Amino acid sequence: MFIIIGIMLTGMLIGYLLRSKRLTWIHKIITFLIWLLLFLLGIDVGGNEAIMKGLHTLGLEALIITLAAVIGSTLLAWGLWYLLYIRNRDKEEKA
């Protein structure tokens, strides 16, 4: 855990020191590494027999969690928008 935090903090320090430089090429490297990590994760998951046998159950659970998160976020965002904008606008119109 400390190694991961140390690596992240080192990257932040180097990024801070190089903030005035143009590092346009870094985005291409990051994108490539993310694709590589996803590919390697797919290989690891595909080679794990327990995950492959339970994939239909994991997929259903993931779908339910995703739908609940999206619906909950949407409802709470709407509620916050209503509290901050609509209710205040109605108060201003009455005044």
Side-chain angles (χ1 to χ4, degrees):
M1 183 69 161
F2 291 119
I3 293 173
I4 294 170
I5 293 172
I7 290 171
M8 187 175 71
L9 290 175
T10 302
M12 290 171 60
L13 176 66
I14 291 171
Y16 179 77
L17 295 174
L18 297 175
R19 68 184 179 275
S20 62
K21 305 262 191 234
R22 284 268 185 197
L23 300 176
T24 56
W25 50 270
I26 198 80
H27 298 292
K28 291 179 183 178
I29 292 174
I30 291 171
T31 302
F32 171 75
L33 290 175
I34 289 171
W35 284 104
L36 180 65
L37 285 172
L38 288 171
F39 177 73
L40 293 174
L41 179 65
I43 290 174
D44 191 44
V45 169
N48 189 329
E49 191 174 327
I51 293 176
M52 292 307 291
K53 284 184 178 178
L55 196 58
H56 65 283
T57 304
L58 293 172
L60 180 61
E61 290 175 6
L63 179 66
I64 292 169
I65 291 170
T66 300
L67 287 175
V70 168
I71 291 169
S73 296
T74 303
L75 289 175
L76 289 174
W78 178 82
L80 182 62
W81 176 76
Y82 177 79
L83 286 174
L84 293 177
Y85 295 106
I86 300 297
R87 199 167 80 177
N88 287 337
R89 186 180 68 191
D90 291 342
K91 285 181 183 178
E92 289 174 3
E93 289 175 359
K94 290 179 183 179

